Amino acid sequence: MSMTSEFKEFALKGNVMDLAVGVIIGGAFGKIIDSMVGDIIMPIIGKIIGNVDFSNMYVALSGQAAGLSLADAKKAGSVLAYGNFLTISINFLILAFVIFQMVKMMNRMKKAEPPAAPAPTPEDVVLLREIRDALKK
C-alpha cells in the first residue's frame, strides 16, 4: 500500500474527522470564553474590589518604579505578572465547568435513549435449534 493511500485511509476515518471538528469548535469556543472572562467577568470583579485592572497586576522583581504599566515594567526588568495568571485561571475554570456540563448533558441524553431491539436470530441458528429439539424427542 502506498503512503498516499495509507494517509488517505487514515485521514478519512470517522474518528480523525470527529477530532478535527472538535478541535476547530473547541478553539472557537475557547475564544468566546476568553472574551467573556477578559471583557465581562474580570472587569466586574475588578470594579467590585475597587477599580482593579487585573491585566496590570504584577510584583516588580528588578526594582522597577511603582505605578508602571505591565509592559513598561517588563521592559525595565523581570516581573511576576500574577494578574494575567489569575485571568487565565478563571478562564480555565469557566471552560472546564462548561465542558463538564456538556458531558453531563450528553450522558443524560444517552441514558434516555430507548434500548435497541435485539437482532433477529440468524436462520442457521434457528435451524440448528430445531434439529437439537428434534433429536431430544
Side-chain angles (χ1 to χ4, degrees):
M1 188 181 268
S2 71
M3 187 178 294
T4 307
S5 61
E6 281 184 75
F7 178 74
K8 183 178 178 183
E9 181 182 338
F10 166 76
L12 296 179
K13 284 186 181 176
N15 293 341
V16 175
M17 297 306 281
D18 291 345
L19 179 63
V21 169
V23 167
I24 292 168
I25 290 174
F29 188 68
K31 288 180 183 180
I32 292 170
I33 297 297
D34 285 342
S35 176
M36 184 175 79
V37 170
D39 299 333
I40 297 173
I41 294 174
M42 294 310 282
I44 292 171
I45 292 173
K47 185 72 172 175
I48 289 171
I49 61 174
N51 290 329
V52 176
D53 179 15
F54 284 94
S55 62
N56 281 318
M57 295 179 89
Y58 66 90
V59 174
L61 300 176
S62 298
Q64 294 92 330
L68 294 175
S69 70
L70 179 60
D72 293 337
K74 282 184 176 182
K75 288 178 187 175
S78 57
V79 295
L80 180 67
Y82 65 90
N84 189 40
F85 176 77
L86 183 62
T87 301
I88 291 172
S89 297
I90 291 173
N91 185 349
F92 169 77
L93 290 174
I94 291 170
L95 188 59
F97 179 75
V98 169
I99 290 172
F100 169 74
Q101 292 299 325
M102 288 172 52
V103 169
K104 189 174 174 182
M105 181 180 63
M106 292 299 292
N107 288 340
R108 210 176 299 138
M109 287 173 51
K110 283 183 184 178
K111 288 180 185 176
E113 292 177 2
T121 307
E123 290 183 37
D124 57 343
V125 173
V126 172
L127 182 59
L128 288 171
R129 286 181 183 164
E130 289 174 3
I131 293 171
R132 179 196 64 199
D133 294 342
L135 288 173
K136 281 184 181 179
K137 291 181 185 178

